[in-house]
Amino acid sequence: MELSRETMKKLAALIAFAVLLLVGAQHLDVVLAALRFLWGIAAPLAAGGALAFVLNVPMRFLEGKLFRRPKGAKGKQVPPALARAVSLLLTFVLLAVILVLLVWVIVPQLAESIRSLGAVASDAAVRLIAWGEEQFAAYPEIAAWLGGLTVDWRALLENLWSFLTSGVGSVVSSTISVTMGVFSAVSAGFISFIFAIYLLLQKERLGLQCRRALYALLPRRWAEGTVRVCALSQQIFSSFITGQCVEAVILGAMFFASMSLLGMPYALLTGCLIAVTALIPIVGAFIGCAVGAFLLLMTSPMQAAVFVVLFLVLQQVEGNLIYPHVVGNSVGLPSIWVLAAVSIGGSLMGIAGMVLFIPLTSVAYTLFRELVNRRLKERGIKVE
């Protein structure tokens, strides 16, 4: 049997891949170190890509509503580059307004809560001092025992001086490392932000370049499949972000309305905190619950207990009814698979897994459903 030239190429590529896989398995530590090094370089760009993907959702909405004219409409069309730049600027303005409103709501009430906490702590300190004086008066042997204690002040001061002198170097090195870490984080954040702006302003051109590269390097069928999966992923991830934001607003409004009806303080603050933290699937609202319960505990322990009960009730309604339907409908995923994706993703990757596994599961579910329907159609089988 004579092998064709194309078959020989495929066999050579397969053998080379097997050799590389074997060498990589034998030197796994080197491979992992190289991957960590490459990820350290690419992390700011990956963060910028994620930021651009999130910002693209409101930017695309604003661009479509403000600048996209229907076919046949009269009037001069706004240049696409200007429309894109204005839409991006309006997106940043909208986010800044939302952040300012949140700060305007949260900071004053948090300051008031801190003042209340200071007053409570002061009263507790007075009561503690009074209790101590009562104990000393009731049990004079305690005072006698404390009076009999001897302290070697010289040895104590020598130990303190030794600790301070030996710790100066470590404190200086820790300060330098923390400063460098902060500077590195700020630099990486700035690079990510600039990269996200470039991606948003030139996304069509970059998309065309990626498609050209795929069709040039891969077989046509593979390139078409890759483009289709990427387009499906982009659509589902965008819908997921929208559904997550809608669900967070609904949950925050539920808490604000319920706490207002029950006459609880900090209703607006707690509703805003829960709406922000609810952007983390399923478990994010518990962070807002902890803060809200702490604030109410400073005012009335009974109201804090009622708030915890209210949170448990609303969390059950949100986790089992609202979240699976709102987010599941937005990504085209049945409610049961939303809960399964959150559970599996949380077990494997924590909070990041909860965020990523819902749209990833939706992509896999859509592709598998299309595969099943196509196979059934090819076989002429109808399953009622």
Side-chain angles (χ1 to χ4, degrees):
M1 180 178 177
E2 187 176 351
L3 296 176
S4 64
R5 188 171 181 179
E6 188 67 26
T7 304
M8 292 292 292
K9 287 183 178 180
K10 291 181 180 179
L11 286 175
L14 185 61
I15 293 172
F17 176 75
V19 171
L20 288 175
L21 190 63
L22 179 61
V23 172
Q26 292 177 345
H27 301 84
L28 188 60
D29 53 343
V30 178
V31 174
L32 293 178
L35 291 176
R36 283 194 294 267
F37 174 75
L38 293 176
W39 173 249
I41 296 175
L45 302 182
L51 178 62
F53 189 89
V54 173
L55 293 178
N56 183 57
V57 176
M59 188 192 75
R60 187 176 55 187
F61 174 80
L62 292 173
E63 188 175 0
K65 292 296 182 181
L66 298 177
F67 300 105
R68 191 169 298 163
R69 301 175 64 85
K71 292 183 179 180
K74 296 180 180 180
K76 192 174 181 180
Q77 182 75 23
V78 178
L82 179 61
R84 175 64 49 78
V86 173
S87 301
L88 181 58
L89 179 61
L90 290 177
T91 301
F92 286 130
V93 171
L94 179 63
L95 292 178
V97 169
I98 293 174
L99 290 176
V100 168
L101 288 177
L102 287 175
V103 171
W104 179 70
V105 170
I106 292 173
V107 170
Q109 297 199 36
L110 278 180
E112 181 182 350
S113 303
I114 292 173
R115 285 196 297 269
S116 301
L117 179 61
V120 171
S122 177
D123 293 340
V126 171
R127 289 196 297 269
L128 181 61
I129 292 173
W131 177 82
E133 292 176 349
E134 291 177 359
Q135 298 303 312
F136 283 132
Y139 301 97
E141 59 270 15
I142 297 179
W145 175 74
L146 291 175
L149 290 177
T150 59
V151 180
D152 189 352
W153 294 103
R154 182 176 179 180
L156 183 62
L157 290 175
E158 289 178 353
N159 292 332
L160 180 60
W161 177 252
S162 176
F163 171 76
L164 291 176
T165 53
S166 62
V168 168
S170 60
V171 169
V172 172
S173 62
S174 300
T175 303
I176 293 175
S177 62
V178 169
T179 303
M180 294 299 294
V182 171
F183 179 76
S184 176
V186 171
S187 301
F190 181 74
I191 293 173
S192 301
F193 182 74
I194 298 300
F195 185 66
I197 292 177
Y198 274 108
L199 286 178
L200 291 171
L201 292 177
Q202 302 181 8
K203 60 179 183 178
E204 286 84 6
R205 182 180 179 183
L206 292 173
L208 176 61
Q209 291 174 346
C210 291
R211 289 195 299 272
R212 287 170 59 88
L214 286 174
Y215 279 98
L217 300 176
L218 298 178
R220 184 181 181 87
R221 185 166 61 90
W222 289 16
E224 290 177 349
T226 303
V227 170
R228 182 176 173 279
V229 170
C230 290
L232 179 64
S233 302
Q234 190 270 338
Q235 177 186 356
I236 289 177
F237 270 78
S238 299
S239 300
F240 170 72
I241 293 172
T242 304
Q244 193 72 29
C245 293
V246 171
E247 186 269 342
V249 171
I250 292 175
L251 185 62
M254 289 171 57
F255 272 92
F256 172 70
S258 302
M259 294 178 68
S260 299
L261 289 176
L262 294 175
M264 293 183 178
Y266 309 118
L268 183 58
L269 171 62
T270 306
C272 291
L273 286 174
I274 289 178
V276 172
T277 56
L279 294 175
I280 303 172
I282 303 298
V283 300
F286 285 95
I287 302 173
C289 171
V291 177
F294 176 75
L295 294 176
L296 290 173
L297 187 63
M298 297 298 101
T299 304
S300 170
M302 181 58 67
Q303 285 186 338
V306 173
F307 172 76
V308 171
V309 174
L310 175 67
F311 173 82
L312 294 176
V313 173
L314 294 182
Q315 182 66 18
Q316 289 298 315
V317 174
E318 183 266 347
N320 295 295
L321 295 177
I322 297 176
Y323 186 85
H325 286 288
V326 172
V327 179
N329 290 338
S330 67
V331 298
L333 194 64
S335 303
I336 185 173
W337 295 115
V338 174
L339 294 176
V342 169
S343 301
I344 296 173
S347 300
L348 294 177
M349 299 172 59
I351 293 176
M354 292 181 181
V355 175
L356 290 175
F357 264 63
I358 293 176
L360 288 177
T361 304
S362 180
V363 173
Y365 176 83
T366 303
L367 295 175
F368 183 73
R369 181 181 58 191
E370 292 179 355
L371 174 63
V372 170
N373 291 337
R374 186 173 67 251
R375 291 291 180 86
L376 291 176
K377 186 177 180 180
E378 291 173 353
R379 298 181 180 183
I381 300 175
K382 239 183 177 182
V383 181
E384 297 294 340

